[in-house]
Amino acid sequence: MKMTEENNDGNSTITMEDVQSLIKKKDTIEEQIKAYYDVLEDQEVGMEGPLVDAEGFPRADVNVYQIRTARHTISCLQNDHKAIMVEIEEALHRLHALEKAKREQDQAESQTESMEQEVTLPSPFARVDAVSQGSPACQAGLRISDEIIAFGSINTGNFQNLQNIASVVQHSEGRPLNVTVIRNGQKTQMGLTPQRWSGRGLLGCNIVPLHR
């Protein structure tokens, strides 16, 4: 069975392909056992039928050598079958243990990343509560409920009121602004270019301040 060493402690990794290979060997052994049982059934002796007649001589109505060979081979194959079944059971236990450990590791890493993300994200100072279809804000990818942590030169540290954002927008018409928002707990960045469009204003969205 193919095994891959993971470290110097003797631990190894088993894959589903390894288990499938063992199952294939088991199926082959079972097919061989059946084939030899067919030989015994053809001569109507089975595994226990006598091979000598009433006077103690080898029976002339059966192939004694073929029967003895089939019986011996069946016994050997049955031992092989028991051994391969033990291997399969152990392999499945190890595979399930590895999969469980992998899931637990992934969950722990995901929780760590989430905690780090929560720690490093700055507090938002405004929220988007409306975005008009076809507007510059819509085209930039801004969505309702996005929480703004940076709007051009405006950030959590220097934001005072919405007039700050309005001033940046007026002085940036036709030029892209870097906008960073928190969306579903993740930081998302986009380029928003204030410009004239068919609707009102230069952005086409409504922004409300957050009081925290």
Side-chain angles (χ1 to χ4, degrees):
M1 178 173 57
K2 175 172 66 72
M3 306 297 291
T4 304
E5 291 298 324
E6 277 190 337
N7 51 46
N8 295 328
D9 296 330
N11 294 330
S12 56
T13 300
I14 188 166
T15 66
M16 181 56 72
E17 287 74 18
D18 296 324
V19 176
Q20 290 173 342
S21 177
L22 288 172
I23 293 174
K24 187 175 181 180
K25 290 179 182 179
K26 174 191 73 74
D27 292 341
T28 299
I29 291 173
E30 290 175 349
E31 290 173 0
Q32 292 174 337
I33 291 174
K34 182 180 182 304
Y36 282 107
Y37 265 117
D38 288 342
V39 171
L40 299 181
E41 289 179 4
D42 287 343
Q43 303 202 50
E44 300 180 353
V45 291
M47 288 291 289
E48 305 295 337
L51 299 183
V52 294
D53 57 21
E55 297 178 356
F57 293 102
R59 289 174 55 180
D61 60 327
V62 296
N63 187 327
V64 174
Y65 175 78
Q66 187 181 45
I67 293 171
R68 284 176 175 169
T69 299
R71 287 176 174 177
H72 175 74
T73 304
I74 287 173
S75 296
C76 293
L77 288 172
Q78 286 175 334
N79 289 333
D80 291 343
H81 188 267
K82 290 178 182 178
I84 200 75
M85 290 300 293
V86 171
E87 281 192 68
I88 291 172
E89 184 177 1
E90 291 177 351
L92 285 172
H93 281 310
R94 290 173 57 195
L95 184 63
H96 292 158
L98 286 170
E99 290 176 346
K100 181 181 178 182
K102 179 66 167 58
R103 286 196 301 270
E104 291 175 349
Q105 180 181 354
D106 290 344
Q107 289 174 356
E109 290 177 353
S110 177
Q111 290 175 354
T112 300
E113 290 176 1
S114 177
M115 290 174 63
E116 290 175 350
Q117 185 78 2
E118 290 177 1
V119 170
T120 56
L121 285 177
S123 298
F125 56 83
R127 185 181 70 249
V128 179
D129 70 351
V131 178
S132 298
Q133 191 69 27
S135 66
C138 179
Q139 292 175 357
L142 208 59
R143 298 180 187 175
I144 295 175
S145 297
D146 281 349
E147 296 186 331
I148 302 171
I149 57 178
F151 194 100
S153 60
I154 306 300
N155 55 47
T156 303
N158 60 20
F159 175 79
Q160 295 178 336
N161 51 52
L162 292 180
Q163 185 58 41
N164 300 141
I165 294 178
S167 178
V168 169
V169 171
Q170 291 170 4
H171 289 89
S172 302
E173 183 175 353
R175 291 180 296 173
L177 289 170
N178 290 323
V179 177
T180 305
V181 303
I182 297 175
R183 179 183 297 162
N184 299 324
Q186 302 291 325
K187 186 164 66 173
T188 301
Q189 294 180 312
M190 66 195 72
L192 172 57
T193 303
Q195 58 188 346
R196 303 292 175 182
W197 63 294
S198 59
R200 294 178 56 188
L202 299 177
L203 298 181
C205 67
N206 192 53
I207 299 173
V208 296
L210 290 177
H211 301 288
R212 297 189 176 184

